[in-house]
Amino acid sequence: MKSTNSISVSVNGQVHEREVESRLLLSDFLRHELGLTGTHVGCEHGVCGACTIQLDGEPVRSCLLFAVQTDGHSITTVEGLAEDRDHLHPIQQAFWEAHGLQCGYCTPGILMTMIPFLEQNPDPSEQEIRKALSGNLCRCTGYQHIVDAVSLAARKMKAINSGS
Amino acid sequence: MKPASFDYHRPDTLDEALTLLNRYGDEAKLLAGGQSLVPAMNFRVAQPAVLIDLNNLRELDFVRDNNGSLSIGAMTRERRLEFDPLIARHLPLLTETMPNVAHPQIRNRGTLGGSLAHADPAAELPVIMLALGARLKARSGAAERWITAPDFFKGLFTTDLAPDEILVEIELPFMGAGTGWSFMEVAPRAGDYALMGVAAVIQLDKEGKCQQARLVYLNAGEGPLEAKAASKSLSGADLDDSAIETAARTASQDEIQPFGNLHASPDFQRHLAHELTIRTLKLALARAGKDRLQ
Ligand SMILES: Cc1cc2nc3c(=O)[nH]c(=O)nc-3n(C[C@H](O)[C@H](O)[C@H](O)COP(=O)(O)OP(=O)(O)OC[C@H]3O[C@@H](n4cnc5c(N)ncnc54)[C@H](O)[C@@H]3O)c2cc1C
Ligand code: FES
Ligand code: FES
């Protein structure tokens, strides 16, 4: 192979075929090539979590993947969560209601991390939520409202799943 | 920062990967989970001309029961080690350790082989390899060789692997009945690299005396460090408070060589090692005793 490659990747359900340079990070591919600027970039070495997306349903750092590696895979970004402007994902609704953000820089990465966490732990304790948040840095909130929002999201998601 | 340009290869088989590695030699780097290599490339600390991506090598992603030992493929993700039922059954020390290795988002990509080949002295997995007496299989071209864990780790970010070798498999003997074990560490936050960490593995005889013990430390020198004198002081002993205290003192004062870092002085690391040794040994003892009564 060579230093550019053609890839076909599904992002939020839509397939994109592109020619990408090998060194193009997935975070930059999403932001600059696809215009999906909801995926934020903080540190580019895996520490802050702002760039977290889901690769085949699992949360991963998009700054530590090359776009070329996602050929044939499926990605979800924060833009893929809400049905439309008026119908937020329950976790987005919960962050809104519980003031789970201030500047919002960390928020997309936190949402993309917490959704699979809540799917696996529908009824988490505060301690479990704090631990699950440990890979995402927030410089504004002091985390308290984020913990509250995740806890509220858990209740909302549970209610939806049990059909009530 | 952005990585420098490179040529990208994604072989579908180990043989193809070995051929590529042979062809490009020193110019090439192997890409496993990328959780250590890509940060280094983003900072341009690493600027390989060629990247050989191992992520399509399904043949290196496995946990196999050999009846007496488990073989784990080098490309097995850290997240899988955490939840694999065979590992939980036969190597509970590894299962217990996994949540300490970075964050779930990192473990979803990071691999066992990548962590061992990277050989960070602060990493947990090299410590567990020493504690459990692992051996590691490397391939180059058609040749293969086995390396014991103490021979594999050569120092700071350095292993016994030659530039044309790929680490392919790790074999770990079952932790048998009567084995007591524990891993504990102190880290600034859950998932951060730890300031100090200890794995303790003990084997009790029928009388409840310690037959064999192994204490291995992270961040205690240039690589995973086995405190041999402290471990030896425990064999043949009743693991009472004074034996445990002696081992903790020997390991933390005489054997480990912590460098200190931004968050901890070497003295504080020694203090942590002392305390963690006592706690891990006590828990290991309780577990071994419980096992024996069953
Ligand atoms: C924010 C953050 C926190 C972290 N915290 C921890 C922690 O607390 N504890 C911890 O132990 N680790 C931690 N890590 C590191 C993580 O566990 C890495 O995944 C791991 O060290 C490297 O594994 P990898 O598969 O990602 O390897 P890569 O980054 O892909 O590769 C690492 C090196 O190993 C070589 N290599 C990879 N596979 C092979 C092979 N099969 N044969 C020969 N050479 C090979 C590569 O060429 C490269 O030089 C952290 C990482 C990040 C980003
Ligand atoms: S930008 Fe990826 S983890 Fe910080
Ligand atoms: S809300 Fe500003 S970084 Fe979290």
Side-chain angles (χ1 to χ4, degrees), chain A residues 45-47 61 64, chain B residues 29-39 54 74-75 78 100-103 106 109-111 113-115 117-118 122-125 161 165-168 191-194:
Chain A
H45 62 285
V47 173
R61 306 295 204 218
L64 299 186
Chain B
K29 267 272 178 201
L30 300 169
L31 176 64
Q35 304 299 292
S36 297
L37 180 57
V38 181
L54 304 181
M75 282 303 292
E78 291 165 342
N100 296 291
V101 181
H103 313 285
I106 308 292
R109 292 300 296 173
T111 63
S115 177
H118 190 56
E124 291 84 2
L125 288 168
L161 290 174
E165 282 183 315
I166 298 182
L167 175 61
V168 291
D192 282 356
Y193 279 106

Side-chain angles (χ1 to χ4, degrees), chain A residues 54-128:
Chain A
Q54 289 165 13
L55 175 71
D56 301 325
E58 293 184 330
V60 299
R61 306 295 204 218
S62 63
C63 72
L64 299 186
L65 274 167
F66 296 107
V68 55
Q69 293 186 273
T70 63
D71 183 29
H73 291 270
S74 133
I75 287 170
T76 310
T77 68
V78 69
E79 288 90 347
L81 294 184
E83 262 171 68
D84 57 52
R85 291 180 73 93
D86 298 320
H87 298 89
L88 295 180
H89 186 284
I91 196 171
Q92 292 172 309
Q93 190 65 38
F95 269 66
W96 182 324
E97 289 171 19
H99 306 289
L101 61 147
Q102 287 181 23
C103 79
Y105 205 86
C106 64
T107 314
I110 291 185
L111 301 183
M112 301 319 285
T113 304
M114 286 302 115
I115 292 170
F117 166 72
L118 290 175
E119 282 163 358
Q120 281 158 26
N121 308 271
D123 205 6
S125 67
E126 183 189 329
Q127 201 50 42
E128 286 166 335

Side-chain angles (χ1 to χ4, degrees), chain B residues 120-143:
Chain B
D120 189 323
E124 291 84 2
L125 288 168
V127 165
I128 300 306
M129 296 304 114
L130 247 62
L132 294 181
R135 42 177 213 147
L136 300 87
K137 186 160 95 176
R139 278 266 319 257
S140 64

Side-chain angles (χ1 to χ4, degrees), chain A residues 12-88:
Chain A
N12 302 328
Q14 194 188 332
V15 176
H16 298 268
E17 317 232 337
R18 284 289 200 290
E19 193 72 20
V20 294
E21 228 191 314
S22 299
R23 63 167 165 167
L24 182 66
L25 296 173
L26 177 59
S27 41
D28 290 337
F29 174 73
L30 293 170
R31 292 173 55 84
H32 303 163
E33 298 281 323
L34 303 187
L36 297 172
T37 52
T39 297
H40 293 165
V41 171
C43 68
E44 289 189 332
H45 62 285
V47 173
C48 75
C51 70
T52 306
I53 52 101
Q54 289 165 13
L55 175 71
D56 301 325
E58 293 184 330
V60 299
R61 306 295 204 218
S62 63
C63 72
L64 299 186
L65 274 167
F66 296 107
V68 55
Q69 293 186 273
T70 63
D71 183 29
H73 291 270
S74 133
I75 287 170
T76 310
T77 68
V78 69
E79 288 90 347
L81 294 184
E83 262 171 68
D84 57 52
R85 291 180 73 93
D86 298 320
H87 298 89
L88 295 180

Side-chain angles (χ1 to χ4, degrees), chain B residues 134-198:
Chain B
R135 42 177 213 147
L136 300 87
K137 186 160 95 176
R139 278 266 319 257
S140 64
E144 65 173 51
R145 67 182 177 118
W146 284 98
I147 311 162
T148 64
D151 287 339
F152 183 81
F153 298 104
K154 291 285 181 204
L156 276 183
F157 301 102
T158 311
T159 69
D160 194 45
L161 290 174
D164 65 342
E165 282 183 315
I166 298 182
L167 175 61
V168 291
E169 178 181 328
I170 294 89
E171 190 189 40
L172 298 130
F174 287 177
M175 299 167 61
T179 306
W181 44 274
S182 169
F183 176 84
M184 293 183 198
E185 67 173 37
V186 174
R189 290 179 311 163
D192 282 356
Y193 279 106
L195 306 176
M196 179 50 62
V198 188

